[in-house]
Amino acid sequence: MVPILGALVLQAAYGAVDLLVVGRFGTTSGLSAVSTGSQVLNLVTFVITQFAMGITVLIARYIGENKKQHIGPLIGGSTIIYAIISVVLFVIMIGFSRQIAVLMQAPQEAVDLTSVYVRICGGGIFFIVAYNLLAAIFRGLGDSKSPLIFVAVACVVNIVGDLVLVAGFKMDAAGAAIATVAAQAVSVGFAIVLLVKKQLVKITGDDFKVNEHCVRALKVGAPLALQECLTQISFLALCAFVNRLGLTASSGYGVACKIVNFAMLVPSSLMQSMASFVSQNVGAGKEKRAKKAMFTGMGVGLVVGCMVFSFVMFKGDLLTGIFTTDTAVIQKGYDYLRGFALESIVTAFLFSMIGYFNGHDKTVWVMIQGLVQTLLVRLPLAYYMSIQPDASLTKIGLAAPVATIFGIVLNVIFYLWMNRKNVSVDEE
């Protein structure tokens, strides 16, 4: 889990650098543009990551079942699928960048900059998709250290690019977007070289076609991707709700979201590492070890979550102050964090269970419970809070932990049902 956590730390830092540099050396409009545009980029990145989870789980399963000869066709076929996905995303983000900015209800002062940010990131979408595919492959092979190196390289390139383009050439949000794309491109090149050099898996030219293995990975990953897509769309809607409250609220929310990314690092790393670990043990017939991993993850996540909760709840203004010197933006960001804070605790339970279910190929259930949380709890509650006469970011932020608690109840019920079903099968 440690290498995955390290990679996620760097990835969060990588995303936060854009906002930090623009907040310090750019304009408030630029800060809002990066905040809104990065929400769109998060939608793409997180959906691709969940799609790629199917590859990670299936590679781990093939290793556990000693069927390594299937890994090459799986990777080759998946490469074709992801290339097609990249082309579609490229067309959408390049051709409809302004419409996306307007749909997100970006403040009027930030619409043009938001459109530019989305268009530039869309131009580099091939690198963003390729990075997530390569990271999924390495994790499935049991090598979680290499993705840590990839994102470290990307982080360094992004920091240098932001400082040169935003602080040096005053390119504002456009400079941050160019730095992001350049960093991903360098990281992908480095990852490809490392994959070829290590010779972790044998891939031939005949493997690069749609086959049963990549289709199987799609079946595992598609429910997760759909659930993540709708979840991220709900976050886009939430961003739009906040944008209606003005430029300061929009910027403050964007700053808070970067801090939230750090707060979610441990639960996210537990979920990703657990999916691969559980899948290998299920393939090897070691269910008890899989269950032990889930409960251990909950314990570790709870301890860390309590510490994060305390710091975010009571010192959140110090954290938001890192990204900007605007007092009003700092306060708005802190307002949201106070509502969100409980999420850092309850997510430890939810994400550990989701990792366990993913490792068992129960991705359809993971999709269902995610959609129920998002569409029936988080989004309606956030919207209701945003239209109140005394609407505040604190009340809007509360929607996240309330939805997660509801999700935990659903997952506990499903876990008990799954165990009872397995016991009945064993008795027969």
Short mmCIF file of all heavy atoms in Angstrom, two decimals, residues 77-102:
data_model
loop_
_atom_site.label_atom_id
_atom_site.label_comp_id
_atom_site.label_asym_id
_atom_site.label_seq_id
_atom_site.Cartn_x
_atom_site.Cartn_y
_atom_site.Cartn_z
N GLY A 77 -5.03 -5.84 -26.31
CA GLY A 77 -6.41 -5.49 -26.64
C GLY A 77 -6.87 -4.24 -25.94
O GLY A 77 -7.58 -3.40 -26.51
N SER A 78 -6.45 -4.09 -24.69
CA SER A 78 -6.84 -2.90 -23.91
C SER A 78 -6.24 -1.64 -24.52
O SER A 78 -6.86 -0.56 -24.49
CB SER A 78 -6.38 -3.05 -22.46
OG SER A 78 -7.02 -4.15 -21.85
N THR A 79 -5.04 -1.75 -25.07
CA THR A 79 -4.40 -0.59 -25.71
C THR A 79 -5.26 -0.07 -26.86
O THR A 79 -5.42 1.15 -27.03
CB THR A 79 -3.01 -0.97 -26.24
OG1 THR A 79 -2.19 -1.42 -25.14
CG2 THR A 79 -2.33 0.23 -26.90
N ILE A 80 -5.82 -0.96 -27.66
CA ILE A 80 -6.69 -0.56 -28.76
C ILE A 80 -7.94 0.14 -28.24
O ILE A 80 -8.35 1.20 -28.74
CB ILE A 80 -7.10 -1.79 -29.61
CG1 ILE A 80 -5.85 -2.49 -30.18
CG2 ILE A 80 -8.05 -1.38 -30.72
CD1 ILE A 80 -5.02 -1.61 -31.09
N ILE A 81 -8.55 -0.45 -27.22
CA ILE A 81 -9.77 0.13 -26.64
C ILE A 81 -9.50 1.54 -26.11
O ILE A 81 -10.27 2.48 -26.36
CB ILE A 81 -10.31 -0.76 -25.51
CG1 ILE A 81 -10.71 -2.14 -26.04
CG2 ILE A 81 -11.48 -0.08 -24.81
CD1 ILE A 81 -11.85 -2.13 -27.01
N TYR A 82 -8.39 1.71 -25.40
CA TYR A 82 -8.10 3.01 -24.79
C TYR A 82 -7.69 4.05 -25.82
O TYR A 82 -7.88 5.25 -25.61
CB TYR A 82 -7.04 2.85 -23.70
CG TYR A 82 -7.62 2.31 -22.42
CD1 TYR A 82 -7.88 0.96 -22.26
CD2 TYR A 82 -7.97 3.16 -21.38
CE1 TYR A 82 -8.46 0.46 -21.10
CE2 TYR A 82 -8.54 2.68 -20.21
CZ TYR A 82 -8.78 1.33 -20.08
OH TYR A 82 -9.36 0.85 -18.94
N ALA A 83 -7.13 3.60 -26.94
CA ALA A 83 -6.82 4.53 -28.02
C ALA A 83 -8.11 5.11 -28.61
O ALA A 83 -8.19 6.31 -28.90
CB ALA A 83 -6.02 3.82 -29.11
N ILE A 84 -9.11 4.27 -28.76
CA ILE A 84 -10.41 4.72 -29.27
C ILE A 84 -11.05 5.71 -28.29
O ILE A 84 -11.59 6.75 -28.69
CB ILE A 84 -11.34 3.52 -29.51
CG1 ILE A 84 -10.77 2.62 -30.62
CG2 ILE A 84 -12.75 3.99 -29.88
CD1 ILE A 84 -11.52 1.31 -30.79
N ILE A 85 -10.99 5.39 -27.01
CA ILE A 85 -11.54 6.28 -25.98
C ILE A 85 -10.85 7.64 -26.03
O ILE A 85 -11.49 8.69 -25.91
CB ILE A 85 -11.38 5.65 -24.58
CG1 ILE A 85 -12.28 4.41 -24.46
CG2 ILE A 85 -11.72 6.66 -23.49
CD1 ILE A 85 -12.07 3.62 -23.18
N SER A 86 -9.53 7.64 -26.24
CA SER A 86 -8.76 8.88 -26.30
C SER A 86 -9.21 9.77 -27.45
O SER A 86 -9.32 11.00 -27.29
CB SER A 86 -7.27 8.57 -26.44
OG SER A 86 -6.77 7.85 -25.34
N VAL A 87 -9.47 9.16 -28.60
CA VAL A 87 -9.92 9.93 -29.77
C VAL A 87 -11.26 10.61 -29.48
O VAL A 87 -11.46 11.79 -29.81
CB VAL A 87 -10.03 9.02 -31.01
CG1 VAL A 87 -10.68 9.77 -32.17
CG2 VAL A 87 -8.65 8.51 -31.43
N VAL A 88 -12.17 9.87 -28.87
CA VAL A 88 -13.49 10.43 -28.55
C VAL A 88 -13.35 11.61 -27.58
O VAL A 88 -13.96 12.68 -27.78
CB VAL A 88 -14.40 9.34 -27.95
CG1 VAL A 88 -15.71 9.96 -27.47
CG2 VAL A 88 -14.67 8.24 -28.98
N LEU A 89 -12.56 11.43 -26.54
CA LEU A 89 -12.36 12.50 -25.56
C LEU A 89 -11.68 13.71 -26.18
O LEU A 89 -12.02 14.86 -25.86
CB LEU A 89 -11.52 11.98 -24.38
CG LEU A 89 -12.20 10.95 -23.48
CD1 LEU A 89 -11.19 10.38 -22.48
CD2 LEU A 89 -13.37 11.58 -22.74
N PHE A 90 -10.75 13.47 -27.07
CA PHE A 90 -10.04 14.55 -27.77
C PHE A 90 -11.03 15.43 -28.52
O PHE A 90 -11.00 16.66 -28.42
CB PHE A 90 -9.01 13.94 -28.73
CG PHE A 90 -8.28 14.95 -29.58
CD1 PHE A 90 -7.17 15.62 -29.08
CD2 PHE A 90 -8.71 15.23 -30.86
CE1 PHE A 90 -6.50 16.55 -29.87
CE2 PHE A 90 -8.05 16.17 -31.65
CZ PHE A 90 -6.94 16.83 -31.15
N VAL A 91 -11.91 14.81 -29.28
CA VAL A 91 -12.89 15.55 -30.08
C VAL A 91 -13.83 16.36 -29.18
O VAL A 91 -14.11 17.54 -29.44
CB VAL A 91 -13.71 14.58 -30.96
CG1 VAL A 91 -14.85 15.32 -31.65
CG2 VAL A 91 -12.81 13.93 -32.00
N ILE A 92 -14.30 15.75 -28.10
CA ILE A 92 -15.24 16.43 -27.21
C ILE A 92 -14.59 17.62 -26.52
O ILE A 92 -15.15 18.73 -26.51
CB ILE A 92 -15.79 15.44 -26.16
CG1 ILE A 92 -16.67 14.37 -26.83
CG2 ILE A 92 -16.61 16.19 -25.10
CD1 ILE A 92 -17.11 13.28 -25.89
N MET A 93 -13.41 17.43 -25.96
CA MET A 93 -12.78 18.48 -25.18
C MET A 93 -12.24 19.62 -26.04
O MET A 93 -12.23 20.78 -25.62
CB MET A 93 -11.67 17.89 -24.30
CG MET A 93 -12.19 16.93 -23.24
SD MET A 93 -10.88 16.22 -22.20
CE MET A 93 -10.42 17.64 -21.19
N ILE A 94 -11.81 19.30 -27.25
CA ILE A 94 -11.32 20.34 -28.16
C ILE A 94 -12.50 21.10 -28.78
O ILE A 94 -12.53 22.32 -28.84
CB ILE A 94 -10.44 19.74 -29.27
CG1 ILE A 94 -9.12 19.20 -28.70
CG2 ILE A 94 -10.16 20.78 -30.36
CD1 ILE A 94 -8.17 20.26 -28.23
N GLY A 95 -13.47 20.34 -29.26
CA GLY A 95 -14.56 20.95 -30.01
C GLY A 95 -15.62 21.65 -29.18
O GLY A 95 -16.32 22.54 -29.68
N PHE A 96 -15.76 21.25 -27.92
CA PHE A 96 -16.85 21.79 -27.09
C PHE A 96 -16.35 22.41 -25.79
O PHE A 96 -17.07 22.40 -24.79
CB PHE A 96 -17.87 20.68 -26.80
CG PHE A 96 -18.48 20.07 -28.03
CD1 PHE A 96 -17.94 18.92 -28.58
CD2 PHE A 96 -19.57 20.66 -28.64
CE1 PHE A 96 -18.49 18.35 -29.72
CE2 PHE A 96 -20.14 20.10 -29.78
CZ PHE A 96 -19.60 18.95 -30.33
N SER A 97 -15.13 22.93 -25.80
CA SER A 97 -14.54 23.46 -24.56
C SER A 97 -15.33 24.64 -24.01
O SER A 97 -15.55 24.74 -22.79
CB SER A 97 -13.08 23.87 -24.80
OG SER A 97 -13.01 24.87 -25.80
N ARG A 98 -15.77 25.53 -24.88
CA ARG A 98 -16.52 26.69 -24.38
C ARG A 98 -17.89 26.27 -23.85
O ARG A 98 -18.34 26.77 -22.81
CB ARG A 98 -16.68 27.75 -25.48
CG ARG A 98 -17.33 29.03 -24.93
CD ARG A 98 -17.27 30.18 -25.90
NE ARG A 98 -17.80 31.39 -25.29
CZ ARG A 98 -17.10 32.21 -24.52
NH1 ARG A 98 -15.82 31.94 -24.27
NH2 ARG A 98 -17.65 33.30 -24.01
N GLN A 99 -18.52 25.35 -24.57
CA GLN A 99 -19.83 24.87 -24.10
C GLN A 99 -19.70 24.19 -22.75
O GLN A 99 -20.59 24.30 -21.90
CB GLN A 99 -20.42 23.89 -25.12
CG GLN A 99 -20.88 24.54 -26.42
CD GLN A 99 -19.79 24.66 -27.46
OE1 GLN A 99 -18.60 24.67 -27.12
NE2 GLN A 99 -20.17 24.74 -28.72
N ILE A 100 -18.60 23.49 -22.55
CA ILE A 100 -18.35 22.84 -21.26
C ILE A 100 -18.19 23.88 -20.16
O ILE A 100 -18.75 23.74 -19.06
CB ILE A 100 -17.09 21.94 -21.33
CG1 ILE A 100 -17.35 20.74 -22.24
CG2 ILE A 100 -16.67 21.47 -19.94
CD1 ILE A 100 -16.12 19.91 -22.53
N ALA A 101 -17.45 24.96 -20.46
CA ALA A 101 -17.25 26.03 -19.47
C ALA A 101 -18.58 26.68 -19.10
O ALA A 101 -18.85 26.96 -17.92
CB ALA A 101 -16.29 27.07 -20.03
N VAL A 102 -19.42 26.91 -20.10
CA VAL A 102 -20.73 27.52 -19.84
C VAL A 102 -21.63 26.56 -19.06
O VAL A 102 -22.34 26.96 -18.13
CB VAL A 102 -21.41 27.92 -21.17
CG1 VAL A 102 -22.85 28.39 -20.91
CG2 VAL A 102 -20.61 29.02 -21.86
#
